């Protein structure tokens, strides 16, 4: 390469007119006008229009005629000003061109599987197979450049707040409580395995015990779980832990960070303190513990109207201890029976609802659906109490609370999407607090931790641990932004006896606790300070900051929803020699599947 760049393709301005420069980059587009050829030359900094004039540089012009999209070239020549009528205000380099006098072809590209100028010219599987080409697209370049900027802002913020950045191990002991671990076989200690960390939870608690009172790291974590659009098998966390603090201290630190990020990245000024809802309030009003507050559509209590009605299905639900909740869909009375049936089928299939009852507001009453089971006076009472307007559609679900509330919450989100209710320019952060400490797992017939087994119970509820553990509130909290859970954390248990007590409640025997967590329990007995922390889903945070709804758009080399890397073929088979070295033998079924 003899023409080494002097400037990037997004750098030149009117003040550079007359200077001779060298640019390197990819041919983004080309236009052939006979004796003139125009290239838009691109690198990650921007684009510059390069002119090849046959009358000025015949050799360069001849080479340019044979070049196409995504060929890599180097060009030398003077910067020239565009005439007023040719200025392109959409390009930062739109006031100038470069007139090429010398061209060096660095690499010619084969025909592309899709256009990098049009990301939608291929389906996602093809784009993931050629991810290195998709990464050239303007959107993904913007996303990853922004991601890098967010890294630096996070590090700067925490360093300024006296946090220490400390790395924790990737090869750790398997402590399966929650998602499945990714296991790594040990060659030296055959038959034993390391686990890749689901989070550095135990290590950061040990750092607090060791006296490092403010810790953070931006760290890879791994969970072998079913995937979704906003979930990956390997993901990045901003991990944070502090000593001698309570919830208010942690909220203040987090609000400072999030405020700075949105100010720097989006130019949005967030409130100094974020609003809060308890977990119970969020579920009752929105049907989810990560509500999107950019639109209304709150769930409402429908139980008071059931007993005076003739609708026995809902009466039976209430008699069995279930709930009946309603959602007023503003202006949706225009929905056809087909529309309602489609929503019902969707809720039944994906959200466990047994059905979806409905009534439409017309005149001064209700009609259609289950309206015939509610007398005229009762209908008027429903309209008044639930603030139903003519043209509204009333949806009702009766079921166990674990079904009725989330199902209506999902319907709320779907209606907002269909009706265009979301103000995409708005940012609504929210703290969710007072989560239940435990929930009862019907399948295993035991209590499980809602967050993790190291979360401290609310001081006022500790006496309920032995009598009514399901009613114990935790000192856990989540940060939600625009319907996405961005971070979650808690004040931790720092007393070994209380930790032992909670393990017993979770059905973890003393021997099992010792085998899995003995080193932590031992450490808690050597002077553990009160401590707590939070972990941000960094990928999800970047997703919200750049304004995309797909987490794969902010990760350089993501996996598919089935945890495959289409580009390099991971996971892949390994040789018999490698397996033998590790003391592993595949059973016959696995061999056949390969």
């Amino acid at each position: 390469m003899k023409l080494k760049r002097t400037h990037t393709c997004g750098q030149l301005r009117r003040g550079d007119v007359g200077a001779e420069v060298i640019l390197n980059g990819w041919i983004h587009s080309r236009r052939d006008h006979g004796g003139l050829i125009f290239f838009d030359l691109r690198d990650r900094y921007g684009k510059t229009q390069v002119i090849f004039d046959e009358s000025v540089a015949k050799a360069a012009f001849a080479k340019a005629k044979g070049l196409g999209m995504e060929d890599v070239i180097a060009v030398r020549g003077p910067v020239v000003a565009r005439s007023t009528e040719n200025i392109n205000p959409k390009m930062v380099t739109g006031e100038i061109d470069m007139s090429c006098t010398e061209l060096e072809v660095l690499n010619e590209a084969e025909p592309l599987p899709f256009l990098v100028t049009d990301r939608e010219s291929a389906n996602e599987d093809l784009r993931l197979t050629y991810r290195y080409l998709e990464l050239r697209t303007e959107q993904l370049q913007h996303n990853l450049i922004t991601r890098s900027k967010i890294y630096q802002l996070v590090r700067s913020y925490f360093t300024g707040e006296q946090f220490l950045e400390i790395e924790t191990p990737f090869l750790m002991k398997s402590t399966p409580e929650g998602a499945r671990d990714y296991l790594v076989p040990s060659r030296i200690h055959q038959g034993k395995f390391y686990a890749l960390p689901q989070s550095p939870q135990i290590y950061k608690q040990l750092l607090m015990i060791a006296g490092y009172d403010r810790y953070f790291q931006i760290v890879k974590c791994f969970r072998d779980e079913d995937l979704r659009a906003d979930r990956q098998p390997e993901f990045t966390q901003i991990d944070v832990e502090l000593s001698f603090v309570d919830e208010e201290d942690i909220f203040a630190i987090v609000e400072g960070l999030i405020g700075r990020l949105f100010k720097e990245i989006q130019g949005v000024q967030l409130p100094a303190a974020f609003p809060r809802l308890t977990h119970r309030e969020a579920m009752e009003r929105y049907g989810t513990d990560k509500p999107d507050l950019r639109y209304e559509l709150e769930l409402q209590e429908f139980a008071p109207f059931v007993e005076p009605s003739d609708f026995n299905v809902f009466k039976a639900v209430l008699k069995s201890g279930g709930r009946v909740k309603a959602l007023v869909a503003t202006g949706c009375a225009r929905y056809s029976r087909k529309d309602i049936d489609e929503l019902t089928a969707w809720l039944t299939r994906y959200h466990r609802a047994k059905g979806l009852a409905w009534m439409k507001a017309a005149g001064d009453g209700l009609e259609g659906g289950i309206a015939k089971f509610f007398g005229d006076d009762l209908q008027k009472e429903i309209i008044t109490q639930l603030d139903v307007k003519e043209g509204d559609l009333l949806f009702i679900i009766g079921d166990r609370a674990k079904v009725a509330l989330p199902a209506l919450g999902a319907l709320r989100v779907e209606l907002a999407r269909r009706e265009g209710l979301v103000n995409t320019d708005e940012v609504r952060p929210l703290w969710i607090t007072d989560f239940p400490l435990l929930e009862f797992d019907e399948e295993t017939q035991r209590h499980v931790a809602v967050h993790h087994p190291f979360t401290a119970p609310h001081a006022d509820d500790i006496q309920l641990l032995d009598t009514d553990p399901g009613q114990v509130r935790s000192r856990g909290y989540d940060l939600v932004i625009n319907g996405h859970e961005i971070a979650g954390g808690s004040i931790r248990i720092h007393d070994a006896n209380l930790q032992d007590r909670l393990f017993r409640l979770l059905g973890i025997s003393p021997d099992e606790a010792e085998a899995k967590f003995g080193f932590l329990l031992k450490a808690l007995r050597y002077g553990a300070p009160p401590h707590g922390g939070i972990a941000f889903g960094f990928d999800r945070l970047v997703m919200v900051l750049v304004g995309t709804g797909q987490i794969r758009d902010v990760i350089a080399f993501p996996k598919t929803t089935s945890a495959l890397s289409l580009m390099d073929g991971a996971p892949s088979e390994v040789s018999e020699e490698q397996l033998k070295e590790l003391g592993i033998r595949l059973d016959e079924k696995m061999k056949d599947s390969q």
Side-chain angles (χ1 to χ4, degrees):
M1 175 178 176
K2 99 185 148 172
L3 298 181
K4 187 176 180 182
R5 69 182 176 187
T6 59
H7 296 74
T8 69
C9 294
Q11 189 174 354
L12 299 173
R13 302 290 188 272
R14 180 173 286 276
D16 297 300
V17 169
E20 183 169 279
V21 302
I22 299 173
L23 302 178
N24 302 160
W26 288 261
I27 299 173
H28 185 74
S29 64
R30 58 164 289 152
R31 298 173 300 284
D32 194 332
H33 293 184
L36 291 174
I37 298 174
F38 298 88
F39 285 173
D40 279 347
L41 194 65
R42 182 196 76 240
D43 60 16
R44 77 172 175 92
Y45 303 94
K47 295 192 287 283
T48 297
Q49 181 168 271
V50 181
I51 303 173
F52 298 86
D53 187 334
E54 187 175 20
S55 65
V56 172
K58 189 169 289 188
F61 180 85
K63 284 184 184 179
K65 282 193 76 71
L67 297 177
M69 302 266 283
E70 297 306 300
D71 289 342
V72 186
I73 63 173
V75 290
R76 183 203 303 272
V79 180
V80 296
R82 291 191 184 188
S83 59
T84 304
E85 63 271 19
N86 287 327
I87 289 174
N88 184 351
K90 294 181 180 178
M91 290 176 64
V92 294
T93 60
E95 291 186 303
I96 59 92
D97 291 323
M98 188 248 224
S99 179
C100 181
T101 58
E102 185 179 359
L103 166 64
E104 180 182 0
V105 179
L106 302 176
N107 211 326
E108 292 189 45
E110 293 185 2
L112 301 174
F114 60 89
L115 298 175
V116 300
T117 54
D118 179 11
R119 196 172 167 224
E120 300 307 313
S121 64
N123 64 37
E124 187 178 44
D125 280 359
L126 184 61
R127 287 186 275 117
L128 287 175
T129 301
Y130 295 92
R131 182 63 168 187
Y132 43 86
L133 294 180
E134 187 180 21
L135 286 171
R136 295 182 189 175
T137 62
E138 188 173 353
Q139 180 186 357
L140 290 195
Q141 292 223 332
H142 166 74
N143 290 354
L144 291 187
I145 289 167
T146 304
R147 181 182 177 116
S148 178
K149 184 177 180 180
I150 295 168
Y151 273 129
Q152 307 314 315
L153 288 169
V154 168
R155 284 196 163 95
S156 172
Y157 176 80
F158 282 117
T159 301
E161 295 290 335
Q162 303 301 307
F163 282 76
L164 298 173
E165 184 171 6
I166 303 174
E167 294 177 347
T168 53
F170 271 4
L171 297 178
M172 62 178 291
K173 181 185 178 70
S174 178
T175 56
E177 278 292 319
R180 287 179 294 272
D181 288 331
Y182 277 103
L183 299 178
V184 180
S186 171
R187 177 184 61 82
I188 298 172
H189 306 284
Q190 290 197 1
K192 295 186 177 182
F193 296 81
Y194 300 102
L196 299 179
Q198 297 185 31
S199 81
Q201 179 62 47
I202 294 177
Y203 288 116
K204 65 184 179 181
Q205 289 194 251
L206 293 172
L207 286 170
M208 295 302 104
I209 296 169
Y212 299 91
D213 66 318
R214 289 193 161 205
Y215 140 93
F216 87 100
Q217 71 172 317
I218 301 175
V219 60
K220 279 286 186 187
C221 299
F222 308 85
R223 291 180 187 171
D224 185 8
E225 58 186 350
D226 297 332
L227 307 180
R228 298 192 301 253
D230 62 347
R231 185 179 285 173
Q232 285 278 296
E234 53 181 312
F235 56 96
T236 306
Q237 277 188 186
I238 309 171
D239 204 45
V240 182
E241 197 80 4
L242 305 89
S243 294
F244 308 111
V245 294
D246 59 18
E247 291 89 334
E248 298 301 326
D249 299 300
I250 293 171
F251 290 174
I253 286 287
V254 170
E255 287 162 351
L257 172 66
I258 295 298
R260 180 174 297 183
L261 290 178
F262 275 90
K263 182 70 174 175
E264 293 284 339
I265 301 300
Q266 289 193 357
V268 172
Q269 184 70 53
L270 296 181
F274 301 161
R276 304 177 190 181
L277 280 177
T278 67
H279 178 264
R280 184 184 295 274
E281 290 172 327
M283 294 303 298
E284 290 290 337
R285 291 170 59 181
Y286 302 104
T288 177
D289 57 9
K290 42 183 180 292
D292 191 337
L293 301 187
R294 292 175 296 175
Y295 50 92
E296 296 296 331
L297 288 183
E298 291 194 20
L299 279 55
Q300 302 196 59
E301 193 60 60
F302 197 77
F305 311 111
V306 172
E307 195 55 43
S309 77
D310 297 322
F311 196 58
N312 293 327
V313 173
F314 282 169
K315 288 182 180 181
V317 167
L318 292 178
K319 189 174 181 180
S320 65
R323 303 290 303 280
V324 182
K325 297 284 282 192
L327 182 65
V328 179
T330 306
C332 291
R334 68 183 188 282
Y335 280 24
S336 67
R337 182 60 187 265
K338 181 173 179 287
D339 294 329
I340 296 171
D341 287 345
E342 285 175 355
L343 286 171
T344 304
W346 172 71
L347 283 171
T348 302
R349 181 174 182 182
Y350 295 108
H351 299 282
R352 300 190 298 162
K354 295 185 180 69
L356 179 63
W358 58 275
M359 296 182 278
K360 294 181 178 182
D364 57 356
L366 301 169
E367 64 180 22
I370 61 171
K372 63 185 179 182
F373 297 102
F374 297 81
D376 292 345
D377 290 342
L378 189 53
Q379 288 186 15
K380 289 183 174 63
E381 190 177 343
I382 291 170
I383 289 170
T384 300
Q385 294 297 322
L386 303 188
D387 195 25
V388 182
K389 303 288 194 302
E390 184 166 4
D392 291 349
L393 177 56
L394 184 63
F395 288 114
I396 314 107
I397 292 179
D399 211 316
R400 293 176 302 144
K402 284 186 176 182
V403 174
L405 298 178
L408 266 186
L411 180 61
R412 173 182 181 267
V413 173
E414 176 63 15
L415 290 173
R417 185 191 67 80
R418 290 186 177 210
E419 297 300 306
L421 301 181
V422 180
N423 179 359
T424 55
D425 295 327
E426 193 175 7
V427 181
R428 296 291 300 275
L430 169 73
W431 286 109
I432 304 295
T433 65
D434 290 350
F435 282 84
L437 182 70
L438 307 167
E439 60 184 0
F440 193 75
D441 184 349
E442 299 287 349
E443 187 174 327
T444 61
Q445 288 293 298
R446 68 181 182 94
H447 284 97
V448 296
V450 170
H451 276 86
H452 54 63
F454 314 109
T455 298
H458 197 289
D460 294 342
D461 296 347
I462 288 178
Q463 74 277 5
L464 297 174
L465 284 171
D466 296 323
T467 58
D468 195 359
Q471 294 302 311
V472 178
R473 293 168 295 166
S474 80
R475 296 181 70 182
Y477 36 79
D478 281 355
L479 175 66
V480 175
I481 300 178
N482 294 352
H484 297 282
E485 180 192 325
I486 298 300
S490 67
I491 300 300
R492 322 301 187 190
I493 296 172
H494 68 280
D495 177 82
N497 293 326
L498 181 56
Q499 187 66 74
D500 283 338
R501 189 175 172 188
L502 190 62
F503 281 156
R504 287 197 300 273
L505 256 178
L506 294 170
I508 301 173
S509 69
D511 288 345
E512 186 182 1
E514 180 63 31
K516 289 181 177 179
F517 309 110
F519 59 102
L520 175 62
L521 294 173
K522 184 182 292 185
L524 289 174
R525 299 186 188 279
Y526 286 102
H531 59 283
I534 195 164
F536 296 79
F538 185 73
D539 308 302
R540 204 172 291 170
L541 175 59
V542 176
M543 182 182 79
V544 171
L545 282 163
V546 302
T548 180
Q550 170 59 267
I551 204 166
R552 290 192 285 273
D553 287 350
V554 300
I555 298 171
F557 298 103
K559 306 289 191 294
T560 66
T561 50
S562 56
L564 295 173
S565 174
L566 299 180
M567 184 188 70
D568 58 13
S572 62
E573 299 170 18
V574 298
S575 69
E576 287 286 345
E577 289 76 13
Q578 286 175 285
L579 292 174
K580 188 175 180 181
E581 223 177 13
L582 295 167
I584 294 175
R585 185 174 63 251
L586 298 182
D587 66 27
E588 293 304 317
K589 288 182 180 178
M590 287 187 182
K591 287 182 179 178
D592 292 343
S593 70
Q594 293 180 353

